[in-house]
Amino acid sequence: MLKGTALIVGVTGISGYNLANVMIASGWTVYGLARNPTVQEGVIPVAADLLDEQSVVTALQGLPITHAFFCTWTRRNTEKENVEANGTMMRNLCKGLEGAPLKHLALVTGTKHYLGPFENYGQRSAETPFRESEPRLPGENFYYTLEDILFETAERRGFTWSVHRSHSMIGLARGSNAMNMGVTLAVYATICKETGRPFVFPGSKVQWDGLTDITDAALLARQMEWAALSPSGHNQALNTVNGDVFRWRWMWAQIADYFGLKPAPCPDQPLPLEEQMKDIGPVWEEIARRYELVESDVTKLVSWWHSDADLGREIECLNDMTKSRDLGFLGYQDSRASFIDVFNRLRAERYIP
């Protein structure tokens, strides 16, 4: 049975790509918007630049979109610029959907909602475990801007909305991997295995020893579909994590074991991947040539900077899922299995040897 006609904005990214797979399997008609859409079975491609209002309006004109999912963002040097650029993208999307029979618009944000902008990341935060009822932190945060545009447009047009606050994302994407820790750590482990480098945790002692959680991209997709269709999920901001917790000192050993590595002791000070890997391009090219991998440009696979931001935090980061459970979403995912699944898929599709 057809559930609706969905527009996934940012379909080539980790959350959009996985959402498309879930929704196609579930019986939706799926349009996928990106600047340069790639071929994805079951997805009707829509090419548009979200920073160009006319491009979006032209691309979406006449499409019978009933449910839209904003699964993208753009990075700028400062939070002020992030607010301006990402706000423009959301406004242009809403403009492009003015004539559509829209019932629901969903927004993917993240734990940065509780931690502040990247330039002041984690210098102050809400109390853990993070709950959706926490007040916003002072100062600019482009997630807040996106929410405000969503709320205003939904009220004016009369459709429902949902906001999904994920943590570190684990999954596979064939386009942008700008926030993809699973692929980043798989590439890092492969480089360590092939070069004999020690498999060193690049983050802080706080993250190494403390409890944390992650978000499986497929679990996020299931929550987004549920919120779009279930009245209890309408007009709600929802944390989105797997539902278990772990310490990185344990998970690091699990990842090392998968790749046949010995985990190195955690250093006293963080050793950021962005610095460690700044000249690694030719090394990855040689690994890709040797094993006939499908992608020889390491920059298209990894997000060193984003994994550094998550693993280098000096504060505890845990997200509470009580609200989501109370409203009826009971999805759960074992976090170790999330990593192993994406590693297996990366090997099967020859992204890593």
Side-chain angles (χ1 to χ4, degrees):
M1 186 178 83
L2 182 64
K3 294 183 177 179
T5 300
L7 174 69
I8 300 176
V9 181
V11 73
T12 59
I14 181 172
S15 57
Y17 173 79
N18 284 274
L19 177 62
N21 288 339
V22 165
M23 299 192 81
I24 290 165
S26 187
W28 294 74
T29 296
V30 176
Y31 288 87
L33 186 149
R35 279 194 307 271
N36 300 294
T38 56
V39 176
Q40 185 173 351
E41 187 175 355
V43 175
I44 304 166
V46 178
D49 180 356
L50 283 171
L51 290 169
D52 181 339
E53 178 183 316
Q54 191 55 52
S55 170
V56 178
V57 169
T58 300
L60 297 182
Q61 186 172 12
L63 297 185
I65 304 301
T66 59
H67 297 74
F69 302 85
F70 192 88
C71 303
T72 190
W73 73 293
T74 187
R75 185 189 181 195
R76 295 293 188 264
N77 291 327
T78 67
E79 197 62 14
K80 182 178 178 61
E81 293 172 289
N82 281 334
V83 165
E84 180 178 352
N86 289 277
T88 295
M89 290 164 63
M90 179 60 110
R91 290 187 187 94
N92 288 344
L93 173 67
C94 292
K95 181 72 173 179
L97 291 171
E98 281 290 337
L102 196 63
K103 297 179 181 179
H104 186 87
L105 177 55
L107 167 65
V108 177
T109 61
T111 301
K112 193 167 76 73
H113 182 96
Y114 307 110
L115 295 172
F118 287 122
E119 58 199 53
N120 298 307
Y121 198 45
Q123 292 184 17
R124 60 189 303 171
S125 71
E127 184 178 33
T128 55
F130 300 139
R131 294 179 173 86
E132 297 90 339
S133 58
E134 289 285 344
R136 291 178 174 181
L137 297 175
E140 290 188 303
N141 188 322
F142 79 84
Y143 285 169
Y144 303 164
T145 301
L146 292 175
E147 284 189 349
D148 288 343
I149 297 168
L150 172 66
F151 301 156
E152 186 277 327
T153 307
E155 182 176 9
R156 176 172 56 82
R157 290 198 53 195
F159 57 73
T160 61
W161 55 267
S162 58
V163 176
H164 303 264
R165 298 173 184 164
S166 62
H167 198 180
S168 302
M169 192 91 68
I170 308 299
L172 183 64
R174 291 187 176 83
S176 170
N177 282 282
M179 301 178 77
N180 196 337
M181 181 184 285
V183 177
T184 298
L185 294 184
V187 171
Y188 175 52
T190 298
I191 290 168
C192 290
K193 179 73 176 290
E194 294 298 318
T195 63
R197 291 171 179 247
F199 188 52
V200 177
F201 182 70
S204 70
K205 283 277 193 179
V206 171
Q207 293 302 307
W208 179 256
D209 291 325
L211 289 170
T212 193
D213 49 32
I214 59 172
T215 301
D216 189 292
L219 180 98
L220 169 62
R222 294 196 298 274
Q223 189 198 54
M224 293 178 76
E225 183 190 27
W226 166 81
L229 296 176
S230 303
S232 60
H234 291 169
N235 304 328
Q236 299 290 342
L238 301 163
N239 289 339
T240 315
V241 290
N242 284 356
D244 63 354
V245 297
F246 62 88
R247 301 181 199 277
W248 272 109
R249 67 190 188 208
W250 176 83
M251 188 65 80
W252 203 249
Q254 307 305 306
I255 296 172
D257 182 66
Y258 179 91
F259 287 96
L261 293 164
K262 181 179 179 181
C266 182
D268 291 332
Q269 298 295 326
L271 297 173
L273 291 171
E274 193 163 32
E275 178 63 24
Q276 285 192 57
M277 300 287 116
K278 64 181 180 180
D279 299 317
I280 209 65
V283 174
W284 184 257
E285 288 177 6
E286 172 56 25
I287 293 171
R289 184 199 62 77
R290 188 186 317 148
Y291 291 101
E292 299 182 339
L293 304 181
V294 298
E295 183 52 72
S296 61
D297 184 351
V298 72
T299 65
K300 294 182 178 179
L301 294 173
V302 301
S303 53
W304 304 129
W305 71 272
H306 191 268
S307 294
D308 285 340
D310 280 359
L311 297 177
R313 294 176 296 210
E314 296 290 345
I315 56 175
E316 178 183 69
C317 292
L318 282 171
N319 296 270
D320 184 82
M321 286 292 288
T322 300
K323 179 181 179 182
S324 202
R325 304 285 186 254
D326 285 346
L327 292 172
F329 180 74
L330 305 179
Y332 170 86
Q333 171 67 35
D334 176 84
S335 290
R336 179 184 178 276
S338 292
F339 280 106
I340 300 305
D341 175 66
V342 76
F343 297 160
N344 286 338
R345 291 168 66 191
L346 288 168
R347 276 185 169 170
E349 299 190 24
R350 304 212 58 76
Y351 283 94
I352 61 174

Short mmCIF file of all heavy atoms in Angstrom, two decimals, residues 7-12 32-38 44-61 63 70 72 89 92-93 96:
data_model
loop_
_atom_site.label_atom_id
_atom_site.label_comp_id
_atom_site.label_asym_id
_atom_site.label_seq_id
_atom_site.Cartn_x
_atom_site.Cartn_y
_atom_site.Cartn_z
N LEU A 7 9.77 13.44 -0.26
CA LEU A 7 10.93 14.13 -0.80
C LEU A 7 12.03 14.06 0.26
O LEU A 7 11.85 14.57 1.37
CB LEU A 7 10.62 15.59 -1.11
CG LEU A 7 11.83 16.43 -1.55
CD1 LEU A 7 12.32 15.99 -2.94
CD2 LEU A 7 11.51 17.92 -1.53
N ILE A 8 13.15 13.42 -0.08
CA ILE A 8 14.28 13.34 0.83
C ILE A 8 15.33 14.34 0.36
O ILE A 8 15.91 14.20 -0.72
CB ILE A 8 14.85 11.92 0.89
CG1 ILE A 8 13.77 10.95 1.38
CG2 ILE A 8 16.10 11.87 1.79
CD1 ILE A 8 14.20 9.49 1.39
N VAL A 9 15.56 15.35 1.16
CA VAL A 9 16.48 16.43 0.82
C VAL A 9 17.86 16.07 1.39
O VAL A 9 18.03 15.93 2.59
CB VAL A 9 15.98 17.76 1.41
CG1 VAL A 9 16.94 18.89 1.03
CG2 VAL A 9 14.57 18.06 0.92
N GLY A 10 18.83 15.90 0.50
CA GLY A 10 20.13 15.40 0.91
C GLY A 10 20.18 13.89 0.80
O GLY A 10 20.72 13.20 1.68
N VAL A 11 19.64 13.35 -0.27
CA VAL A 11 19.49 11.90 -0.41
C VAL A 11 20.82 11.18 -0.58
O VAL A 11 20.91 9.97 -0.38
CB VAL A 11 18.53 11.58 -1.58
CG1 VAL A 11 19.20 11.85 -2.93
CG2 VAL A 11 18.01 10.15 -1.50
N THR A 12 21.88 11.90 -0.94
CA THR A 12 23.18 11.24 -1.11
C THR A 12 23.98 11.16 0.19
O THR A 12 25.03 10.53 0.22
CB THR A 12 24.02 11.98 -2.16
OG1 THR A 12 24.21 13.33 -1.75
CG2 THR A 12 23.35 11.95 -3.52
N GLY A 32 14.39 12.05 -4.50
CA GLY A 32 15.61 12.37 -3.78
C GLY A 32 16.28 13.61 -4.33
O GLY A 32 16.66 13.65 -5.51
N LEU A 33 16.41 14.65 -3.50
CA LEU A 33 16.99 15.92 -3.94
C LEU A 33 18.44 16.02 -3.52
O LEU A 33 18.80 15.74 -2.38
CB LEU A 33 16.19 17.09 -3.38
CG LEU A 33 16.57 18.50 -3.87
CD1 LEU A 33 15.33 19.41 -3.87
CD2 LEU A 33 17.67 19.13 -3.02
N ALA A 34 19.29 16.42 -4.47
CA ALA A 34 20.69 16.69 -4.21
C ALA A 34 21.21 17.58 -5.32
O ALA A 34 20.58 17.71 -6.37
CB ALA A 34 21.51 15.39 -4.14
N ARG A 35 22.35 18.22 -5.08
CA ARG A 35 22.94 19.03 -6.16
C ARG A 35 23.28 18.14 -7.35
O ARG A 35 23.04 18.50 -8.50
CB ARG A 35 24.20 19.75 -5.67
CG ARG A 35 23.95 21.00 -4.89
CD ARG A 35 25.22 21.83 -4.74
NE ARG A 35 26.33 21.06 -4.20
CZ ARG A 35 26.60 20.92 -2.91
NH1 ARG A 35 25.81 21.50 -2.02
NH2 ARG A 35 27.62 20.22 -2.50
N ASN A 36 23.87 16.97 -7.04
CA ASN A 36 24.25 16.02 -8.09
C ASN A 36 23.76 14.64 -7.69
O ASN A 36 24.52 13.84 -7.14
CB ASN A 36 25.76 16.01 -8.28
CG ASN A 36 26.31 17.36 -8.70
OD1 ASN A 36 26.03 17.85 -9.79
ND2 ASN A 36 27.09 17.98 -7.83
N PRO A 37 22.48 14.34 -7.92
CA PRO A 37 21.94 13.05 -7.49
C PRO A 37 22.68 11.87 -8.12
O PRO A 37 23.05 11.92 -9.30
CB PRO A 37 20.48 13.10 -7.97
CG PRO A 37 20.18 14.54 -8.21
CD PRO A 37 21.48 15.15 -8.62
N THR A 38 22.91 10.84 -7.32
CA THR A 38 23.49 9.61 -7.83
C THR A 38 22.36 8.61 -8.06
O THR A 38 21.25 8.78 -7.59
CB THR A 38 24.51 9.04 -6.83
OG1 THR A 38 23.87 8.87 -5.56
CG2 THR A 38 25.70 9.98 -6.66
N ILE A 44 13.57 8.63 -7.34
CA ILE A 44 13.41 9.52 -8.49
C ILE A 44 14.29 10.75 -8.24
O ILE A 44 14.06 11.50 -7.29
CB ILE A 44 11.95 9.95 -8.65
CG1 ILE A 44 11.04 8.72 -8.78
CG2 ILE A 44 11.79 10.87 -9.87
CD1 ILE A 44 9.57 9.03 -8.61
N PRO A 45 15.33 10.97 -9.04
CA PRO A 45 16.27 12.04 -8.75
C PRO A 45 15.71 13.43 -9.03
O PRO A 45 14.99 13.64 -10.01
CB PRO A 45 17.46 11.73 -9.66
CG PRO A 45 16.86 10.98 -10.81
CD PRO A 45 15.71 10.19 -10.23
N VAL A 46 16.06 14.36 -8.14
CA VAL A 46 15.71 15.77 -8.31
C VAL A 46 16.99 16.58 -8.10
O VAL A 46 17.56 16.56 -7.00
CB VAL A 46 14.64 16.23 -7.31
CG1 VAL A 46 14.34 17.72 -7.48
CG2 VAL A 46 13.37 15.40 -7.45
N ALA A 47 17.45 17.27 -9.13
CA ALA A 47 18.68 18.04 -9.04
C ALA A 47 18.35 19.50 -8.74
O ALA A 47 17.59 20.14 -9.47
CB ALA A 47 19.47 17.95 -10.34
N ALA A 48 18.91 20.01 -7.62
CA ALA A 48 18.69 21.41 -7.26
C ALA A 48 19.76 21.85 -6.28
O ALA A 48 20.30 21.04 -5.52
CB ALA A 48 17.30 21.60 -6.64
N ASP A 49 20.06 23.13 -6.30
CA ASP A 49 20.99 23.75 -5.36
C ASP A 49 20.17 24.48 -4.31
O ASP A 49 19.52 25.49 -4.61
CB ASP A 49 21.92 24.71 -6.09
CG ASP A 49 22.92 25.39 -5.17
OD1 ASP A 49 22.85 25.18 -3.93
OD2 ASP A 49 23.77 26.14 -5.69
N LEU A 50 20.17 23.99 -3.07
CA LEU A 50 19.33 24.56 -2.03
C LEU A 50 19.69 26.01 -1.70
O LEU A 50 18.88 26.72 -1.09
CB LEU A 50 19.42 23.72 -0.76
CG LEU A 50 18.62 22.42 -0.77
CD1 LEU A 50 18.98 21.59 0.46
CD2 LEU A 50 17.13 22.68 -0.81
N LEU A 51 20.87 26.45 -2.07
CA LEU A 51 21.25 27.84 -1.84
C LEU A 51 20.72 28.78 -2.92
O LEU A 51 20.88 29.99 -2.83
CB LEU A 51 22.77 27.95 -1.73
CG LEU A 51 23.38 27.34 -0.46
CD1 LEU A 51 24.90 27.26 -0.57
CD2 LEU A 51 22.98 28.15 0.78
N ASP A 52 20.08 28.21 -3.96
CA ASP A 52 19.55 28.98 -5.08
C ASP A 52 18.03 28.79 -5.09
O ASP A 52 17.52 27.74 -5.48
CB ASP A 52 20.17 28.47 -6.38
CG ASP A 52 19.69 29.22 -7.62
OD1 ASP A 52 18.62 29.85 -7.56
OD2 ASP A 52 20.39 29.16 -8.63
N GLU A 53 17.30 29.82 -4.66
CA GLU A 53 15.84 29.71 -4.54
C GLU A 53 15.19 29.28 -5.84
O GLU A 53 14.34 28.38 -5.85
CB GLU A 53 15.24 31.04 -4.07
CG GLU A 53 13.73 31.01 -3.96
CD GLU A 53 13.14 32.36 -3.57
OE1 GLU A 53 13.69 33.01 -2.64
OE2 GLU A 53 12.13 32.76 -4.18
N GLN A 54 15.57 29.89 -6.95
CA GLN A 54 14.92 29.58 -8.22
C GLN A 54 15.20 28.15 -8.64
O GLN A 54 14.33 27.47 -9.21
CB GLN A 54 15.38 30.55 -9.31
CG GLN A 54 14.54 30.45 -10.59
CD GLN A 54 13.05 30.65 -10.33
OE1 GLN A 54 12.64 31.62 -9.72
NE2 GLN A 54 12.23 29.70 -10.79
N SER A 55 16.40 27.67 -8.35
CA SER A 55 16.74 26.28 -8.66
C SER A 55 15.80 25.32 -7.94
O SER A 55 15.30 24.35 -8.53
CB SER A 55 18.19 26.00 -8.25
OG SER A 55 18.50 24.62 -8.32
N VAL A 56 15.52 25.59 -6.68
CA VAL A 56 14.66 24.72 -5.87
C VAL A 56 13.21 24.82 -6.34
O VAL A 56 12.52 23.81 -6.52
CB VAL A 56 14.77 25.07 -4.38
CG1 VAL A 56 13.83 24.20 -3.54
CG2 VAL A 56 16.21 24.92 -3.89
N VAL A 57 12.73 26.05 -6.54
CA VAL A 57 11.35 26.25 -6.96
C VAL A 57 11.09 25.55 -8.30
O VAL A 57 10.07 24.87 -8.49
CB VAL A 57 11.02 27.75 -7.06
CG1 VAL A 57 9.68 27.98 -7.74
CG2 VAL A 57 11.03 28.38 -5.67
N THR A 58 12.02 25.69 -9.22
CA THR A 58 11.86 25.07 -10.54
C THR A 58 11.88 23.55 -10.44
O THR A 58 11.05 22.86 -11.07
CB THR A 58 12.99 25.53 -11.48
OG1 THR A 58 12.92 26.96 -11.62
CG2 THR A 58 12.86 24.88 -12.85
N ALA A 59 12.79 23.00 -9.65
CA ALA A 59 12.94 21.55 -9.54
C ALA A 59 11.73 20.89 -8.89
O ALA A 59 11.36 19.76 -9.24
CB ALA A 59 14.20 21.21 -8.75
N LEU A 60 11.08 21.58 -7.94
CA LEU A 60 9.99 20.99 -7.18
C LEU A 60 8.61 21.32 -7.74
O LEU A 60 7.60 20.77 -7.26
CB LEU A 60 10.06 21.43 -5.71
CG LEU A 60 11.32 21.00 -4.95
CD1 LEU A 60 11.23 21.45 -3.49
CD2 LEU A 60 11.51 19.50 -5.01
N GLN A 61 8.55 22.19 -8.72
CA GLN A 61 7.27 22.64 -9.24
C GLN A 61 6.43 21.46 -9.75
O GLN A 61 6.88 20.65 -10.56
CB GLN A 61 7.48 23.64 -10.37
CG GLN A 61 6.20 24.28 -10.87
CD GLN A 61 6.49 25.41 -11.87
OE1 GLN A 61 7.60 25.57 -12.35
NE2 GLN A 61 5.48 26.21 -12.17
N LEU A 63 5.48 18.74 -8.22
CA LEU A 63 5.67 17.43 -7.61
C LEU A 63 4.65 17.24 -6.47
O LEU A 63 4.50 18.13 -5.62
CB LEU A 63 7.09 17.27 -7.06
CG LEU A 63 8.23 17.33 -8.08
CD1 LEU A 63 9.57 17.03 -7.40
CD2 LEU A 63 7.98 16.37 -9.23
N PHE A 70 14.23 16.85 5.68
CA PHE A 70 15.42 17.69 5.50
C PHE A 70 16.60 17.01 6.17
O PHE A 70 16.75 17.04 7.39
CB PHE A 70 15.16 19.07 6.10
CG PHE A 70 16.18 20.11 5.74
CD1 PHE A 70 16.03 20.87 4.58
CD2 PHE A 70 17.27 20.36 6.55
CE1 PHE A 70 16.96 21.86 4.24
CE2 PHE A 70 18.20 21.34 6.23
CZ PHE A 70 18.06 22.09 5.06
N THR A 72 20.07 17.34 5.35
CA THR A 72 21.31 17.89 4.82
C THR A 72 21.73 19.12 5.60
O THR A 72 20.98 19.64 6.42
CB THR A 72 21.14 18.23 3.33
OG1 THR A 72 22.41 18.54 2.77
CG2 THR A 72 20.17 19.41 3.16
N MET A 89 18.98 27.59 3.02
CA MET A 89 18.60 26.31 2.43
C MET A 89 17.21 25.88 2.87
O MET A 89 16.38 25.43 2.05
CB MET A 89 19.64 25.25 2.80
CG MET A 89 20.99 25.46 2.12
SD MET A 89 22.33 24.49 2.88
CE MET A 89 21.79 22.83 2.58
N ASN A 92 14.52 28.16 1.32
CA ASN A 92 14.33 27.87 -0.10
C ASN A 92 13.54 26.58 -0.30
O ASN A 92 12.72 26.47 -1.21
CB ASN A 92 15.68 27.79 -0.81
CG ASN A 92 16.33 29.15 -0.98
OD1 ASN A 92 15.68 30.19 -0.84
ND2 ASN A 92 17.63 29.16 -1.25
N LEU A 93 13.80 25.58 0.55
CA LEU A 93 13.01 24.35 0.46
C LEU A 93 11.54 24.64 0.72
O LEU A 93 10.66 24.19 -0.03
CB LEU A 93 13.51 23.31 1.45
CG LEU A 93 12.64 22.04 1.55
CD1 LEU A 93 12.70 21.25 0.26
CD2 LEU A 93 13.04 21.18 2.74
N GLY A 96 10.00 26.23 -2.19
CA GLY A 96 9.78 25.29 -3.27
C GLY A 96 8.60 24.36 -3.05
O GLY A 96 8.03 23.84 -4.02
#
